[in-house]
Amino acid sequence: MRPANPRPIIALVCAGLAACAPGDGIDADGSVFDGIAPGETITLGGTEPFWGLDIAPATPGDGFTARFSSPSGDIDPAPFSMQRFAGNNGLGFNGELAGKAVQVAITPGDCSDGMSDQTYPFAATVALGDATLLGCGHTDSAPATSASAP
């Protein structure tokens, strides 16, 4: 079931991140989430519906380049720009794709896609226009792991 308006969900996630504005995301006590380095590529994905989002540092310059994909093909897979912000319990990105606002919240913790034996190190919530997508994520330095065979 999809909420009618994803903004309250993203606002709650942002409150958990404790820094929902572009910048360094440093809290008053000086701590900041450092589980994903700024130079890493992040791979996110989910099921029901199937979707994928890759976020990589832009070359050259500031910001990040993202590419959204889904088997339905209803969204243009062209790259788009995103800005990164960090808080004390996760990482966020925001941008715009095909005229729709995109807000991403990534938090650490074991995550399952429900369809494979993979365990991912990050959970992801993506607000894409009026849709809220839930999924998992990984990076090269924090890959998904497989369950051991019996």
Side-chain angles (χ1 to χ4, degrees), residues 81-147:
S81 296
M82 297 198 88
Q83 295 299 312
R84 172 184 164 125
F85 56 93
N88 66 353
N89 192 33
L91 185 63
F93 290 87
N94 59 30
E96 186 175 304
L97 171 62
K100 296 179 180 181
V102 180
Q103 297 174 333
V104 179
I106 303 167
T107 54
D110 289 345
C111 184
S112 170
D113 62 13
M115 297 200 59
S116 70
D117 67 350
Q118 300 284 319
T119 299
Y120 299 87
F122 304 105
T125 302
V126 177
L128 175 60
D130 292 333
T132 300
L133 306 171
L134 304 176
C136 302
H138 66 91
T139 67
D140 288 338
S141 68
T145 56
S146 295

Side-chain angles (χ1 to χ4, degrees), residues 41-45 53-55 120 136-139:
T41 296
I42 304 165
T43 302
L44 306 174
L53 180 65
D54 295 323
I55 304 171
Y120 299 87
C136 302
H138 66 91
T139 67

